[in-house]
Amino acid sequence: MNGCPVKGNNYLFNFKKLYLEDEKDDKSQEGINKASKGGLVYGDYLQLNKILNAQELQSEKKGNKIHDEHLFIVTHQAYELWFKQILWEMDSVRVIFQNGHVRDERNMLKVITRINRISMILKLLVEQFSVLETMTALDFFDFRYYLSPASGFQSLQFRLLENKIGVPQSLRVPYNRRHYRDNFKGQDYELLLKSEQEPTLLQLVEAWLERTPGLNTEEFDFWGQFEVNVLKGLEEEFALVQAKPESEEKDDLLSEFQNQKDALLSLFDEKRHEHLLSKGERRLSYKALKGALMIYFYREEPRFQVPFQLLTSLMDIDVLMTKWRYNHVCMVHRMIGSKSGTGGSSGYQYLRSTVSDRYKVFVDLFNLSTFLVPRHWIPKMNPNIHKFLYTAEYCDSSYFSSDDSD
């Protein structure tokens, strides 16, 4: 066989004829070019002239244009634009909570959607470091000198984000032994101060959890029944371990049992909880913690399905913020080693100290897994409370108040 295998008559198409026939019936060309008549156009709507001309290379201004500084600027500008969108979404969620619109459970869809959107943006920002890392340490060194004393720590929007989520001021790592706010002046300083005084997302979620449906119902003493079931379950588990013959394995099981017992019984010690709260080791009130655990246990009930999704999404934000910090630390270590930061900090050493639970806002939600128990320990609902949790709460006046909730 020679030549093209599809050259025979059975496979030969008259492409020219086909093109002419398609041209007559080409519906893709039946539109109208409205832009030719004037009015708003793409570039004007997005103000691209401002955005695309906002990359001013310091190296070029100093007469030594460095190619990779453009990538550095664009990447950080992209971060700041996404930070702005995150703040936009978070402020809207905080308004919905603050105005009591979450009492109408239909509004929870807006909350979940916007919280998930924040998570998706953070995933993008975590991955964005890989673009910046196409620049080598030597490439960065070529223009790093021109950046001083500018520093990523001076990102106003990232500090606002931390405050509005609920990073405790008392747990912040000092910046060169000074309060973080001392690195800002004028209007930026005032904006940060204001954000510290506003209700945080953590505080608003805490108040919402304290109103968990069924938590304060006289017909169903969830917390009391749960404590009784835990005590009974622990007695049964201890008896099973004690019945085993003496061995090293039994000693290990007894030790493990004691740890489990201490953890579970601590859950019913409100004074201990308040002590841990004062030390910053817990963030939610005792009542809110009860509500969160109730949602975890009964997450399959219709009324708790969306709240459970919200709690999961809030943990996602904490995870992604931690990943962002970690990726930032790794990139800085790769680029400057143990040198000081351009803003005067200890650089890598300072950033590494921020990758810890002290910057996790919803750490109590992660720790709920410590208190998970076998399903038969969870209190059984009576028919009335089961019906109550099967029905969502509606408040039409708040649901249709679009000016506030949107």
Side-chain angles (χ1 to χ4, degrees), residues 9-169:
N9 291 333
N10 292 337
Y11 300 98
L12 191 61
F13 290 99
N14 189 332
F15 287 103
K16 185 175 181 181
K17 181 181 178 182
L18 184 63
Y19 173 76
L20 291 172
E21 289 176 353
D22 285 350
E23 193 176 45
K24 296 174 183 176
D25 301 319
D26 189 357
K27 296 187 181 297
S28 69
Q29 301 301 313
E30 292 181 359
I32 300 172
N33 186 7
K34 293 183 178 180
S36 63
K37 299 179 181 180
L40 187 66
V41 294
Y42 180 80
D44 293 340
Y45 175 64
L46 297 178
Q47 299 192 49
L48 292 182
N49 188 51
K50 293 180 181 178
I51 296 173
L52 300 181
N53 288 289
Q55 295 73 44
E56 189 176 77
L57 278 63
Q58 292 300 306
S59 60
E60 186 175 18
K61 289 178 69 176
K62 300 295 191 298
N64 183 29
K65 182 178 178 181
I66 304 299
H67 176 84
D68 278 9
E69 188 183 354
H70 191 276
L71 171 68
F72 187 82
I73 293 172
V74 168
T75 304
H76 284 79
Q77 286 176 337
Y79 272 125
E80 291 296 333
L81 281 171
W82 282 124
F83 289 157
K84 183 173 184 178
Q85 186 63 36
I86 290 174
L87 288 169
W88 177 265
E89 303 296 344
M90 184 162 298
D91 283 343
S92 74
V93 168
R94 288 166 61 239
V95 167
I96 292 173
F97 273 104
Q98 203 166 351
N99 291 349
H101 292 161
V102 286
R103 291 180 183 276
D104 187 315
E105 293 170 12
R106 291 173 293 182
N107 278 316
M108 289 303 294
L109 180 59
K110 292 179 186 176
V111 171
I112 289 288
T113 299
R114 293 170 190 179
I115 291 293
N116 284 341
R117 185 176 294 159
I118 291 172
S119 292
M120 293 304 296
I121 294 171
L122 286 171
K123 285 180 183 179
L124 183 66
L125 298 188
V126 167
E127 292 299 322
Q128 192 168 291
F129 280 105
S130 61
V131 178
L132 204 53
E133 286 170 347
T134 60
M135 177 175 61
T136 67
L138 187 58
D139 294 331
F140 181 50
F141 182 79
D142 287 340
F143 65 88
R144 181 174 182 258
Y145 171 78
Y146 300 118
L147 307 182
S148 184
S151 165
F153 183 86
Q154 297 157 6
S155 170
L156 171 66
Q157 291 193 119
F158 191 75
R159 302 305 156 205
L160 288 172
L161 176 58
E162 290 177 326
N163 288 346
K164 292 185 179 192
I165 290 177
V167 172
Q169 300 303 314

Side-chain angles (χ1 to χ4, degrees), residues 206 210 273-274 277 283-290 364:
E206 177 185 64
E210 289 176 347
H273 178 91
E274 295 300 326
L277 200 61
R283 310 290 168 80
L284 294 172
S285 69
Y286 191 57
K287 191 174 181 181
L289 187 69
K290 291 180 184 180
D364 288 351

